Amino acid sequence: MIIHFETAEGEQITTSTGLSFVSSENAALNLETELGPLDYDFDKVVAQSKKEWNALLGSVEVKGKDSRMAANDFFSTSPYTAWLGEEDEGQMGALYNLLSIGLFEMKAGCSVAPYYDLSSPVFDVITIHLDQKYYPGEKFTIKVANNSPENDFIQSAELNGKKLQEPKILHKDIVEGGELTIDLGVAPN
């Protein structure tokens, strides 16, 4: 399809597009249904889309048991079953690494203040050595108390000796270096 408009210099035009794989009538209906309530205003569409996307992301909850199960059941060290599906340019390996150290990032670093949800690490002690060309800290250590396959749930967590009020840690806290301690238990807390 080619559309051509005769416009004067500096004149702006606004277009709206409705799509349907069924018919042009359904395309018009989709356009009216999706954009009509927003007055065909682009900024309103963007704001509404962000609101709906954040509501969907906010409904996802990652629990220690879920992340440990994913790390243990969906990955292995066997050359035959190490990755269930395509490796996806290292992303599956990166996911396993994050899950196994007890971190999970739901918003893919797109937050104004990126953070990680805490989950149940599979290791007792994890040390992340930070490259000082990029980060102010030297290392970030995660220490896990009462770690076992049965203890899937976080009972408490402290960052540099200060108790966390929710199971989250900011990315900036990691790159500044320090110590995260996580106490696990058999039941949710």
Side-chain angles (χ1 to χ4, degrees):
M1 172 189 332
I2 297 174
I3 301 174
H4 180 76
F5 295 95
E6 295 290 333
T7 59
E9 187 174 328
E11 181 182 1
Q12 294 183 1
I13 59 168
T14 302
T15 64
S16 300
T17 304
L19 301 174
S20 170
F21 292 110
V22 177
S23 68
S24 55
E25 290 81 15
N26 281 0
L29 179 62
N30 289 343
L31 179 65
E32 184 58 35
T33 302
E34 294 174 9
L35 296 181
L38 300 171
D39 301 321
Y40 299 90
D41 182 303
F42 182 76
D43 292 330
K44 287 182 181 179
V45 172
V46 169
Q48 181 65 25
S49 297
K50 284 182 181 179
K51 181 180 174 184
E52 289 177 16
W53 178 252
N54 287 331
L56 287 171
L57 284 179
S59 68
V60 175
E61 182 178 358
V62 178
K63 298 180 180 174
K65 185 173 182 119
D66 299 332
S67 62
R68 184 177 285 236
M69 181 274 303
N72 290 335
D73 294 351
F74 295 138
F75 300 95
S76 78
T77 56
S78 164
Y80 305 107
T81 61
W83 309 117
L84 299 180
E86 182 185 349
E87 165 48 9
D88 197 20
E89 300 177 1
Q91 295 305 306
M92 295 301 291
L95 174 62
Y96 174 75
N97 287 330
L98 284 174
L99 289 175
S100 66
I101 66 173
L103 301 175
F104 185 81
E105 188 176 27
M106 190 64 207
K107 293 187 177 180
C110 294
S111 298
V112 172
Y115 65 90
Y116 300 88
D117 291 298
L118 301 181
S119 60
S120 176
V122 297
F123 303 104
D124 295 331
V125 178
I126 300 111
T127 302
I128 301 170
H129 297 277
L130 302 165
D131 188 334
Q132 302 221 282
K133 288 188 285 187
Y134 306 103
Y135 305 114
E138 182 180 327
K139 66 181 179 177
F140 185 79
T141 304
I142 302 170
K143 293 184 178 179
V144 184
N146 302 313
N147 195 3
S148 72
E150 297 78 30
N151 291 342
D152 289 325
F153 299 97
I154 296 174
Q155 303 302 300
S156 65
E158 293 182 358
L159 176 62
N160 299 322
K162 183 178 177 186
K163 185 173 180 158
L164 296 176
Q165 298 305 310
E166 56 184 343
K168 293 182 180 188
I169 183 171
L170 293 172
H171 180 76
K172 75 173 188 66
D173 292 329
I174 293 175
V175 300
E176 288 174 356
E179 183 175 284
L180 173 67
T181 57
I182 299 174
D183 184 29
L184 299 177
V186 72
N189 181 9

